[in-house]
Amino acid sequence: MSAHPPPATLIWATRGHTWGFRFLLTGGHPDPLPAYERAFADLQDEPITYQRSAEEVALRFPDPLDRRDTAGRVIPHEFVISGPLADKVNSVEDGQQTIWPLVAAAYAKVWNTKTAPSPTDLGFTTSDNPQQ
């Protein structure tokens, strides 16, 4: 179990050193893609971005430890934050300080694995993220 389990309403998409872009947390959605696409619809592919809508926050920032994939690209972390946690995020900096500590230890476990991680590999319990 992670020291800081993520809230069940957090969507997190990223990629690893060798595995491709995927959702590591689903925010309680059976398919998080529609919510992710809605949240990031008006945003360009800027490496650092933040946008608040009425119900959620879209947040993207590069890996805080400058980890890169096999092609040498900095790994982005993209989040859709809803619920009470979204009220705590009012900028990219807020997101890095509030959201990153919730997932940093889990990502450290899996970013350099040869295959995409399973929910078990992340170390979160199913009660932390029931859709995983």
Side-chain angles (χ1 to χ4, degrees):
M1 183 171 167
S2 170
H4 300 281
T9 58
L10 185 64
I11 295 174
W12 175 28
T14 190
R15 64 178 183 258
H17 185 67
T18 58
W19 44 270
F21 191 80
R22 66 190 54 245
F23 292 102
L24 297 184
L25 296 174
T26 65
H29 299 270
D31 178 3
L33 185 59
Y36 169 85
E37 289 180 334
R38 181 181 64 247
F40 283 92
D42 296 332
L43 299 172
Q44 303 295 319
D45 290 334
E46 298 170 27
I48 301 173
T49 191
Y50 160 89
Q51 178 172 278
R52 174 176 294 281
S53 68
E55 299 178 5
E56 58 198 13
V57 169
L59 173 70
R60 177 186 303 130
F61 56 83
D63 186 87
L65 298 180
D66 198 33
R67 287 176 278 215
R68 297 172 183 265
D69 65 13
T70 55
R73 299 172 294 192
V74 173
I75 295 171
H77 295 280
E78 300 182 340
F79 300 91
V80 179
I81 309 156
S82 58
L85 187 59
D87 295 337
K88 297 178 181 178
V89 179
N90 296 301
S91 67
V92 171
E93 292 77 20
D94 285 349
Q96 289 174 313
Q97 293 175 1
T98 303
I99 303 303
W100 183 247
L102 299 175
V103 300
Y107 190 68
K109 291 180 192 173
V110 302
W111 90 273
N112 201 21
T113 58
K114 293 185 181 195
T115 59
S118 72
T120 302
D121 296 333
L122 293 171
F124 298 129
T125 65
T126 55
S127 63
D128 297 331
N129 195 24
Q131 296 300 316
Q132 296 274 318

